[in-house]
């Protein structure tokens, strides 16, 4: 049995307390550290005082509230889509969407390294599921041709892959697949991050959203909790009619919905957060590449580092701790089976913290694989 990861206490936005020691934290996916932003925390406290903690019922019965509709309208406007439908967390977005779409497709094509929630969702579609090689447009196109002329296709993929920071080639999938095919894009890590307005992978690639269903989480860039499914009004109607998970699920607590509105306002007010984030990301990646590191070609704020051996893993952990950096070593689906270090840059890391990370990694090149995490 694999036990849970060792507990951490996040403090002061870019630090954690671990085994009694205060360390710089390059883990997690709170990209703008909005989970600890004063305005978001004030909105959370205000929401608790005004609305209480829990509606204790489904939105289809007595658990609906005007705050949910306000947040859905705000999300739809932010992402430039017709509707946004809130669900209790990011993982279930894809399951709710799949229940709404069940029976409409003959085949589902799925990236072999897609998030586990997409694989769970694919099993609920009631059709044949065919994985294809990671980020391989030609492989997806071959599978599509093998399904026959009358196939109804849905392709499932992450937008921004959290294990590597790479982006799915949505534009090429749409170009090569039949015009009737749709894409279900889990944009948990792209939403709020990518694109001029933070609308995610589709905006980054300048892809129109009419053939996309986007699922997002509010727990990454937005720093809160909950999830949403973005798409046309017809999809929202199907969710209400067909999704037992939506119908029978208690929605997100109202204080979190109030906090999410504050977070949305912060990210809607301009691109300062995104500019600051990518200035830091580009600085770190550029320095590591100049030092000979081969990093995946992607815009995400992720630096994946693969130790060359088990001994190398232990030596790098020790060196990071010596420099007061928490060692973010992961064994997680989508990454190498032996585990790897995933350093996540935030907009709030200081230049000194970034310089310390870069110098520590460069000084450890003897124990790090030269290829990083392969794509």
């Amino acid at each position: 049995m694999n036990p849970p990861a060792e507990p951490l206490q996040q403090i002061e936005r870019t630090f954690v307390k671990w085994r009694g020691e205060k360390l710089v934290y390059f883990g997690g996916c709170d990209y703008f550290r909005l989970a600890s932003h004063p305005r978001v925390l004030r909105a959370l406290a205000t929401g608790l005082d005004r609305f209480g903690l829990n509606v204790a019922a489904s939105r289809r019965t007595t658990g609906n509230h005007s705050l949910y509709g306000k947040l859905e309208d705000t999300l739809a406007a932010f992402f430039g889509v017709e509707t946004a439908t809130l669900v209790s967390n990011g993982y279930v977005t894809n399951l709710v969407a799949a229940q709404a779409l069940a029976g409409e497709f003959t085949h589902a094509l799925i990236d072999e390294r897609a998030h586990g929630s997409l694989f769970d969702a694919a099993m609920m579609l009631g059709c044949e599921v065919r994985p294809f090689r990671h980020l391989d447009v030609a492989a997806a196109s071959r599978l599509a041709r093998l399904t026959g002329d009358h196939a109804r296709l849905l392709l499932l993929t992450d937008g921004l892959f959290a294990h590597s920071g790479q982006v799915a080639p949505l534009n090429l999938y749409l170009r090569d697949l039949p015009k009737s095919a749709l894409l279900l894009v889990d944009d948990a890590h792209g939403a709020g991050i990518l694109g001029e307005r933070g609308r995610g992978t589709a905006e980054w690639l300048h892809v129109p959203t009419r053939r996309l269903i986007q699922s997002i989480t509010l727990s990454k860039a937005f720093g809160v909790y909950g999830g949403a499914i973005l798409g046309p009004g017809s999809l929202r109607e199907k969710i209400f009619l067909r999704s037992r998970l939506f119908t029978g699920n208690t929605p997100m607590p109202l204080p979190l919905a109030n906090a999410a509105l504050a977070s949305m306002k912060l990210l809607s007010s301009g691109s300062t957060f995104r500019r600051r984030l990518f200035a830091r990301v580009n600085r770190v990646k550029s320095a590591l590449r100049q030092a000979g590191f081969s990093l995946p070609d992607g815009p995400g704020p992720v630096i994946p580092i693969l130790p060359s051996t088990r001994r190398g893993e232990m030596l790098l952990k020790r060196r990071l701790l010596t420099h007061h950096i928490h060692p973010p070593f992961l064994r997680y689906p989508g990454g190498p089976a032996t585990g790897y270090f995933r350093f996540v840059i935030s907009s709030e890391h200081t230049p000194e913290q970034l310089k310390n990370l870069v110098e520590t990694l460069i000084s450890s090149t003897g124990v790090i694989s030269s290829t990083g995490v392969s794509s």
Side-chain angles (χ1 to χ4, degrees), residues 339-360:
Y340 72 114
F341 293 87
R342 184 182 69 175
F343 299 92
V344 181
I345 309 302
S346 84
S347 61
E348 306 311 299
H349 282 115
T350 67
E352 293 77 17
Q353 289 171 339
L354 299 175
K355 182 173 182 287
N356 184 29
L357 174 65
V358 168
E359 290 178 349
T360 302

Side-chain angles (χ1 to χ4, degrees), residues 32-366:
F32 304 121
R33 295 299 195 262
L34 293 185
S36 55
H37 193 284
R39 292 189 197 174
V40 177
L41 295 180
R42 281 198 298 269
L44 180 73
T46 300
L48 183 61
D49 289 341
R50 289 184 59 189
F51 308 119
L53 181 60
N54 183 8
V55 295
S58 163
R59 290 182 70 190
R60 293 295 303 277
T61 57
T62 57
N64 204 4
H65 192 281
S66 60
L67 201 60
Y68 296 134
K70 183 178 180 181
L71 180 52
E72 287 175 333
D73 290 344
T74 302
L75 284 163
F78 181 93
F79 286 99
V81 295
E82 187 178 347
T83 68
T85 304
L86 279 174
V87 294
S88 57
N89 64 68
Y91 195 100
V92 304
T93 54
N94 296 317
L95 308 184
V96 169
Q99 287 182 336
L101 298 169
E104 296 192 6
F105 301 95
T106 60
H107 298 82
L109 312 180
I110 184 167
D111 188 295
E112 66 181 1
R113 292 198 189 177
H115 192 269
S117 62
L118 285 173
F119 277 94
D120 288 346
M123 299 304 294
M124 303 173 78
L125 289 168
C127 66
E128 184 177 345
V129 179
R130 299 184 178 183
F132 61 89
R133 186 179 174 188
H134 183 48
L135 298 176
D136 191 330
V137 176
S141 301
R142 282 195 299 273
L143 283 180
R145 288 194 296 271
L146 290 172
T147 61
D149 295 337
H150 302 291
R152 301 187 306 278
L153 301 178
L154 178 69
L155 186 145
L156 299 89
T157 181
D158 297 37
L160 175 65
F161 284 88
H163 74 274
S164 66
Q166 293 173 292
V167 162
L170 306 183
N171 51 337
L172 303 182
Y173 292 145
L174 291 171
R175 181 198 67 189
D176 287 5
L177 293 178
K179 299 302 180 186
S180 59
L182 297 180
L183 271 60
L184 174 55
V185 180
D186 184 328
D187 218 14
H189 293 272
I193 296 291
L194 297 179
E196 182 180 351
R197 291 162 291 190
R199 291 180 171 178
T201 305
E203 186 180 37
W204 176 267
L205 295 171
H206 306 289
V207 171
T209 59
R210 61 180 177 273
R211 291 172 61 193
L212 303 183
I213 298 165
Q214 296 167 270
S215 61
I216 66 164
T217 182
L218 298 173
S219 65
K220 309 302 183 192
F222 300 99
V224 190
Y225 198 71
I229 302 153
L230 313 178
S234 58
L235 174 64
R236 183 175 170 87
E237 291 174 7
K238 291 173 185 176
I239 290 171
F240 292 163
L241 288 171
R242 301 177 184 176
S243 174
R244 290 189 296 274
L245 183 51
F246 178 84
T247 298
N249 191 234
T250 302
M252 62 192 293
L254 289 168
L256 289 174
N258 205 52
L261 283 167
S263 178
M264 296 292 302
K265 188 173 183 179
L266 283 167
L267 290 189
S268 299
S269 61
S271 57
T272 303
F273 284 102
R274 288 185 290 279
R275 282 200 303 269
R276 195 160 68 233
L277 173 65
F278 283 104
R280 284 156 169 72
V281 171
N282 293 336
R283 184 184 312 155
V284 172
K285 288 185 176 181
S286 176
L288 291 177
R289 286 184 173 122
Q290 287 179 12
F293 284 70
S294 179
L295 302 176
D297 184 17
V302 176
I303 310 292
I305 299 294
L306 184 65
S308 53
T309 62
R310 170 67 174 164
R311 181 174 178 272
E313 172 198 328
M314 301 309 296
L315 287 172
L316 181 53
K317 284 182 180 178
R318 195 174 305 144
R319 191 161 293 173
L320 289 164
L321 289 170
T322 299
H323 289 84
H324 306 288
I325 299 171
H326 174 264
F329 187 79
L330 309 178
R331 286 188 177 89
Y332 194 77
T338 56
Y340 72 114
F341 293 87
R342 184 182 69 175
F343 299 92
V344 181
I345 309 302
S346 84
S347 61
E348 306 311 299
H349 282 115
T350 67
E352 293 77 17
Q353 289 171 339
L354 299 175
K355 182 173 182 287
N356 184 29
L357 174 65
V358 168
E359 290 178 349
T360 302
L361 291 177
I362 290 175
S363 71
S364 306
T365 52

